[in-house]
């Protein structure tokens, strides 16, 4: 084995990019920021940034989310940062040409949370907004209007991860407040999957799945109509049987 030669390996950077998803007005939306600096100045992008030398990846993801938008996500490794949002590592992206500045490897993270407030811009972002996922993915097909870097692909991967995981896990409850109705949970599935679901069949499936939902002991009329029973997320993390996505 030949001795290690640092000069044979040009320097590169590591970044984190965040696919932040929430349900607003019955639509699946993603958080995007308008870049205030080159490259891609003025283009919309996913929030994110460079990982500092002393940071681990989860801490960098939580910091970038807070700095660029004012939002926080749950990260067990960062004490005091917990607003009920779900954060998990999504995938790693390392195309040598993905960033024109230098070789940059990005570790993308997926963040899911209930109806989040309007974000505020910060860091190197001029503005931030929630945008319907369908709108962003459609724009991604046009170079001039699409997301910066390879963020259209990262967003598509994050959306597919969310759509797949709510089939076999209880992750859909991460889009709900601590206490919610079956109707509110159904609208999460409809927004994430982009389909209409039969209310009676959905109610039967979710209330009949062991450990998925736990009665909260109250009712609400916040959705209008007759009082609806409130539930909390149960202890189950995997659903058996799974909630299979309808074929479109």
């Amino acid at each position: 084995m030949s001795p290690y030669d640092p000069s044979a390996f040009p320097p590169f950077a590591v970044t984190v990019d965040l696919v932040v998803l929430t349900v607003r007005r019955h639509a699946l939306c993603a958080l995007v920021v308008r870049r205030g600096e080159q490259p891609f100045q003025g283009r919309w992008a996913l929030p994110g940034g460079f990982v500092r030398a002393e940071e681990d990846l989860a801490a960098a993801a939580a910091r970038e989310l807070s700095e660029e938008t004012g939002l926080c996500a749950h990260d067990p490794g960062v004490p005091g940062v917990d607003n009920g949002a779900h954060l998990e590592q999504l995938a790693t992206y390392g195309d040598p040409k993905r960033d024109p500045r230098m070789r940059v490897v990005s570790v993308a993270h997926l963040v899911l949370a209930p109806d989040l407030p309007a974000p505020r811009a910060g860091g190197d972002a001029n503005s931030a907004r929630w945008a319907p996922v369908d709108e962003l993915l459609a724009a991604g097909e046009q170079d001039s209007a699409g997301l910066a870097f390879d963020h259209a692909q990262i967003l598509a991967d994050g959306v597919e991860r969310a759509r797949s995981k709510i089939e076999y896990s209880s992750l859909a409850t991460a889009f709900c407040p601590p206490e919610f109705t079956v109707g509110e949970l159904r609208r999460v599935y409809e927004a994430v999957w982009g389909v209409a679901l039969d209310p009676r069949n959905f109610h039967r499936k979710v209330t009949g799945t062991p450990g998925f939902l736990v009665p909260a002991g109250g009712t609400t009329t916040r959705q209008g109509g007759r009082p609806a029973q409130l539930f909390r997320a149960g202890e189950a993390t995997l659903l058996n049987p799974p909630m299979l996505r309808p074929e479109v």
Side-chain angles (χ1 to χ4, degrees):
M1 179 180 295
S2 60
Y4 171 68
D5 180 8
S7 65
F9 300 91
F12 68 93
V14 178
T15 62
V16 289
D17 288 311
L18 305 172
V19 179
V20 186
L21 301 178
T22 195
V23 175
R24 294 172 65 86
R25 301 180 181 88
H26 307 311
L28 182 64
C29 295
L31 182 63
V32 289
V33 296
R34 191 183 294 278
R35 288 187 55 79
E37 301 175 357
Q38 293 291 353
F40 304 106
Q41 186 174 14
R43 291 271 292 275
W44 291 102
L46 299 175
F50 290 94
V51 178
R52 295 171 179 170
E54 73 279 6
E55 287 181 313
D56 66 21
L57 294 172
R63 175 183 57 77
E64 283 292 340
L65 183 65
S66 176
E67 286 181 356
E68 293 206 13
T69 67
L71 302 175
C72 296
H74 173 62
D75 174 11
V78 182
V81 180
D82 184 359
N83 70 340
H86 170 89
L87 183 147
E88 68 177 64
Q89 196 171 119
L90 174 62
T92 302
Y93 300 82
D95 188 306
K97 297 181 180 180
R98 63 178 302 275
D99 191 315
R101 293 169 291 188
M102 62 184 299
R103 180 71 190 272
V104 176
V105 175
S106 178
V107 182
H109 289 70
L110 179 64
V111 180
L112 309 177
D115 188 11
L116 291 169
R120 62 169 175 80
D124 61 356
N126 277 342
S127 58
R129 69 183 177 107
W130 294 107
V133 162
D134 291 344
E135 171 190 314
L136 294 173
L137 294 179
E141 300 172 0
Q142 309 170 33
D143 290 344
S144 61
L147 295 174
F149 303 102
D150 54 356
H151 289 184
Q153 182 61 57
I154 297 175
L155 174 62
D157 292 346
V159 169
E160 181 55 33
R161 168 75 67 86
R163 287 172 173 167
S164 298
K165 288 198 73 169
I166 66 172
E167 290 189 88
Y168 62 85
S169 78
S170 59
L171 193 59
T173 59
F175 288 104
C176 296
E179 295 186 355
F180 51 88
T181 69
V182 169
E184 290 169 337
L185 181 62
R186 187 187 78 249
R187 282 183 278 275
V188 166
Y189 274 90
E190 291 177 333
V192 176
W193 282 345
V195 298
L197 300 173
D198 180 79
R200 290 187 178 182
N201 286 341
F202 182 84
H203 191 285
R204 175 177 53 81
K205 288 180 180 179
V206 297
T207 56
T209 300
F212 191 7
L213 303 182
V214 175
T219 61
T220 182
T221 58
R222 62 182 174 232
Q223 298 297 313
R226 295 181 299 177
Q229 185 177 4
L230 287 168
F231 291 86
R232 295 191 304 269
E235 295 183 356
T237 55
L238 297 178
L239 304 183
N240 187 20
M243 298 285 295
L244 298 180
R245 193 184 337 180
E247 295 184 2
V248 180

